[in-house]
Amino acid sequence: MEHLIIPEGYSSPLTIRETEVAIKEIKDHFERSLAKALHLTRVSAPLFVTPESGLNDNLNGVERPVAFGIKEQDDSIAEIVHSLAKWKRYALKHYDFHSGEGLYTDMTAIRRDEDTDNIHSLYVDQWDWEKVISKQERNMETLEYTVRKVFSALKETESFICRRYNYIEELLPDDIFFISSQELENMYPKCTPKEREYNIAKAKGAVFITQIGSILASGEKHDGRAPDYDDWDLNGDIIVYYPVLDIALELSSMGVRVDESSLARQLKAAGCEERSELAFQKALLNCELPYTIGGGIGQSRICMYYLRKAHIGEVHASLWPQEIVDCALKNGIQLL
């Protein structure tokens, strides 16, 4: 059973039908703002890939993808994508994108091993985006500049939705605060990573925590990252404070992608050097794909945040344990 937070006195000002209208308005507006800010073109993307392609996102390395056999291909196996982190980089080359140009797409996934709660679901929807950069642009300056562009789209969309619905007030600060995972551990040495995220998000309103994936001075990781898409020295998460649930809410994970040297280094550190023989990873090691920066932005997460909802099930349809459905209904949480 998921852990369910019930905000005291919670009720949604919007009916389910009004919520559905608002979701569409948010998604349309933010999608346009993001594309304009980063010079992105919308493309179509796969729902499933083959395991041997190496294109599926391995997340933390323990989540099992949903897989099925394809009848007309002698029951060869296909996997539902966890995200499109790797596919996007391949697509930039295949679709002939050049430096300064990028793409975005709607990504939907099933994460069967997810521990569900107010902000986690078996169903995942996000905007996956990727942009071509030069090798010389693989640095922290490029990362911070791009983060601020994404944040500007978040701010602009919040202003729009506040004008549309008068019960919503702006929460996002004027600028986003940057801090590395090691600096954050030094600041809160006795806290868990999630406690650190909560403390800094509540203090700053919005924060980008950088350099996620490597081992910290404590001997622990701040969080897990697959070794073959983000460069662990040039990545991070956009996290905001969400007062409705009194939590730190991650809206986006993004970063400068691995080059041939950081990929080899991170595969070795993660103990999975055998992945270097997969098609995607081999192409990277052979310098056959463009250098890129990219990320994912949770569609339901931002809808939940802007509409001040208490549960992600109020902004997308999924499956929940019956006791959660009953408890939510009793406490004014309208699951779709």
Side-chain angles (χ1 to χ4, degrees):
M1 176 175 165
E2 68 164 29
H3 175 60
L4 182 64
I5 301 172
I6 306 293
E8 185 177 352
Y10 176 79
S11 66
S12 174
L14 302 180
T15 66
I16 288 179
R17 288 183 64 180
E18 289 170 337
T19 296
E20 293 284 18
V21 172
I23 290 169
K24 184 69 164 60
E25 290 176 331
I26 290 170
K27 289 186 176 182
D28 286 349
H29 194 91
F30 179 77
E31 190 172 304
R32 289 192 298 268
S33 295
L34 181 71
K36 181 179 179 181
L38 295 180
H39 308 292
L40 307 177
T41 300
R42 191 189 184 283
V43 301
S44 299
L47 176 60
F48 41 84
V49 295
T50 60
E52 59 271 18
S53 69
L55 289 173
N56 207 351
D57 181 358
N58 297 93
L59 300 178
N60 291 312
V62 296
E63 296 87 350
R64 300 171 299 161
V66 175
F68 60 94
I70 304 172
K71 180 181 176 182
E72 73 168 9
Q73 297 180 27
D74 298 321
D75 275 336
S76 62
I77 299 299
E79 294 178 349
I80 303 292
V81 296
H82 276 143
S83 87
L84 296 168
K86 299 168 187 170
W87 175 87
K88 294 175 296 180
R89 194 165 176 180
Y90 168 80
L92 286 170
K93 178 182 179 181
H94 185 60
Y95 298 163
D96 198 28
F97 280 77
H98 301 285
S99 185
E101 301 174 338
L103 59 80
Y104 76 96
T105 189
D106 288 291
M107 190 287 299
T108 55
I110 303 168
R111 295 189 182 170
R112 60 190 290 189
D113 294 323
E114 192 71 79
D115 294 323
T116 61
D117 55 25
N118 291 66
I119 62 172
H120 294 93
S121 172
L122 303 180
Y123 172 78
V124 177
D125 57 346
Q126 66 183 33
W127 289 283
D128 258 322
W129 65 273
E130 199 84 5
K131 186 173 181 178
V132 180
I133 59 175
S134 68
K135 189 173 179 65
Q136 292 71 32
E137 291 176 300
R138 297 188 69 262
N139 54 49
M140 190 60 71
E141 182 181 357
T142 297
L143 178 62
E144 292 189 4
Y145 173 82
T146 308
V147 169
R148 285 195 166 93
K149 285 292 187 180
V150 174
F151 189 70
S152 71
L154 289 168
K155 279 280 292 180
E156 204 277 329
T157 304
E158 184 183 53
S159 295
F160 163 77
I161 207 68
C162 287
R163 294 193 299 271
R164 291 284 292 117
Y165 298 92
N166 59 16
Y167 77 93
I168 301 171
E169 296 181 354
E170 294 188 29
L171 293 177
L172 293 173
D174 292 335
D175 197 8
I176 188 166
F177 181 74
F178 290 82
I179 190 169
S180 72
S181 56
Q182 186 59 65
E183 289 170 334
L184 193 58
E185 182 182 69
N186 296 343
M187 187 180 295
Y188 303 109
K190 296 183 179 180
C191 295
T192 67
K194 292 304 176 186
E195 289 170 342
R196 292 175 207 140
E197 290 181 357
Y198 171 82
N199 289 337
I200 196 68
K202 189 169 185 179
K204 301 296 183 181
V207 60
F208 187 72
I209 302 175
T210 66
Q211 300 178 336
I212 297 175
S214 297
I215 303 294
L216 300 174
S218 63
E220 302 292 330
K221 294 180 180 180
H222 180 82
D223 200 358
R225 280 293 187 277
D228 44 10
Y229 60 94
D230 277 352
D231 186 320
W232 294 343
D233 291 330
L234 295 169
N235 70 350
D237 293 337
I238 295 178
I239 297 173
V240 299
Y241 176 66
Y242 188 43
V244 174
L245 297 176
D246 187 30
I247 62 169
L249 180 65
E250 180 189 322
L251 298 182
S252 176
S253 176
M254 59 180 287
V256 173
R257 305 311 196 187
V258 290
D259 62 5
E260 56 279 8
S261 58
S262 58
L263 173 60
R265 182 174 66 251
Q266 290 177 187
L267 287 177
K268 183 176 182 179
C272 51
E273 292 168 281
E274 71 281 356
R275 287 194 204 171
S276 63
E277 295 304 313
L278 295 172
F280 173 80
Q281 289 78 355
K282 188 177 290 187
L284 283 178
L285 292 168
N286 292 335
C287 303
E288 296 170 359
L289 296 178
Y291 298 111
T292 64
I293 185 171
I297 302 166
Q299 295 188 12
S300 292
R301 288 275 181 98
I302 72 165
C303 289
M304 179 183 176
Y305 178 79
Y306 290 139
L307 298 177
R308 313 301 185 234
K309 297 289 190 178
H311 198 285
I312 201 164
E314 294 181 273
V315 292
H316 77 219
S318 186
L319 292 178
W320 315 97
Q322 188 58 47
E323 58 266 37
I324 292 299
V325 175
D326 295 340
C327 184
L329 183 62
K330 186 190 305 182
N331 289 279
I333 297 175
Q334 303 172 316
L335 300 180
L336 302 184

